[in-house]
Amino acid sequence: MKLNKMTISITLALFLSVICGILLQDHTDWANNISFLGTIYVNLIKMIMLPLVFTSLVLGVSSMDNLKKLGKIGVSAIAIFMMTTAVAVVIGLCLSLVFQPGIGIELTAESYEINEFPSVIDTIVGIVPSNPFESFVNGNMLQVIFFSIILGIGIVVAKDKGEPLRKILDSIFEIMSIVTRGVMYLTPVGIVGLMVPAVANNGVKVLLPLLKLVLVFYAATVIHICIVYFGMLKVGCKMSVKKFLNGMLQAQVIAFTTCSSAAALPVSLKCIQENLKISKEVSSFVLPLGSTVNMDGNALYQGIVALFIAQAYGVDLTISSMLMVILTGTLASIGASGVPGAGMIVLSMVLLSVGLPVDGIALVAGIDRILDMGRTLVNVTGDATTACMVERMVNKNI
Ligand code: ASP
């Protein structure tokens, strides 16, 4: 199937799913009956994810002519991740300040349970796996990244003796790329299975009371994408926005419908390497890392929702509290993982840091799916934009 045909089928599937979902709002059980199609589709892409990321990253590292380059890629990527994430929290805060979506909200009496967060030291220690096989089994992406880099460096140092393993991994990578291509043909079916139940269960009735919040959040995503990402692409990478969007569309739709950066990863890797011609060494490092630590959509959400909850409870946040929201919002986005609903879980960290009631999360829990779709779309777009920037900075290829 050509990219054009695929794009048309994906757009059509998205459009029809929204219509069917709206029509089935009073028959959610019918809509839920087809959710198994979405689950099978998500499982298929998750199935490809680890072998693809692992082989792609080992090959990327082992093909580098010097290890200084690896350091340069890492430092540039992390610097861009941090800056764009902090900007996202600020955009979220500003929009929430101007449009005040929380004013006039009726508070619910439900309560929300807080999750425990690991300390910074525990997080750093947790990146180094004591048993790499366990990391694969548990799908711990940061540990898999760490092990892949070590293995890639080992292959470079071992020279001829490392070559047979490199060839085997190259063969696995090629096979997994073919499997990814096959799974992508099923994207329209997956979209129907994911979107029809999502729209039917989160329809107008659920959305209406919080419509202003949803609108402010989506306005923030558009502003962040247009100003920050398109600005980086045009000014920093000299790449046309149209080329970027055409190349990444499938990954973006998968992010939007699955609400998981991790699930979108195999397709993101394929799109960026094949359509945008970003090198394996950069993309296979920046995208998996970004899918776990770079969450600008999540950061936008933290900024908007923290202020929304403050407004709903009639709390006036001081400037220093807002600075605290920027700091903890950035950290919470780094700490969240690329799975559905992760942003809402780490929100409690931001609320606690400025003394806002954690029960306020119950106010937004009902519409989290709708917000998560936008968050994940921004997260995946941010990772791809960063990869393009790093490619330009390190390899000067684009
Ligand atoms: N679902 C998002 C992702 O996978 C994380 C979040 O909830 O913000 O990127």
Side-chain angles (χ1 to χ4, degrees), residues 257-314:
T257 51
T258 61
C259 290
S260 168
S261 309
L265 191 52
V267 181
S268 290
L269 271 173
K270 186 190 162 293
C271 287
I272 207 158
Q273 288 172 1
E274 292 180 11
N275 303 341
L276 301 184
K277 307 283 175 245
I278 302 298
S279 68
K280 224 182 260 171
E281 59 186 30
V282 169
S283 58
S284 61
F285 180 74
V286 176
L287 292 192
L289 186 66
S291 76
T292 25
V293 303
N294 183 43
M295 309 242 162
D296 295 356
N298 193 345
L300 286 169
Y301 167 88
Q302 306 294 332
I304 292 177
V305 177
L307 225 70
F308 166 85
I309 291 174
Q311 289 159 2
Y313 279 90

Side-chain angles (χ1 to χ4, degrees), residues 15-30:
F15 183 68
L16 289 177
S17 303
V18 173
I19 303 208
C20 290
I22 292 173
L23 294 176
L24 289 176
Q25 277 183 91
D26 293 324
H27 301 280
T28 45
D29 46 335
W30 295 3

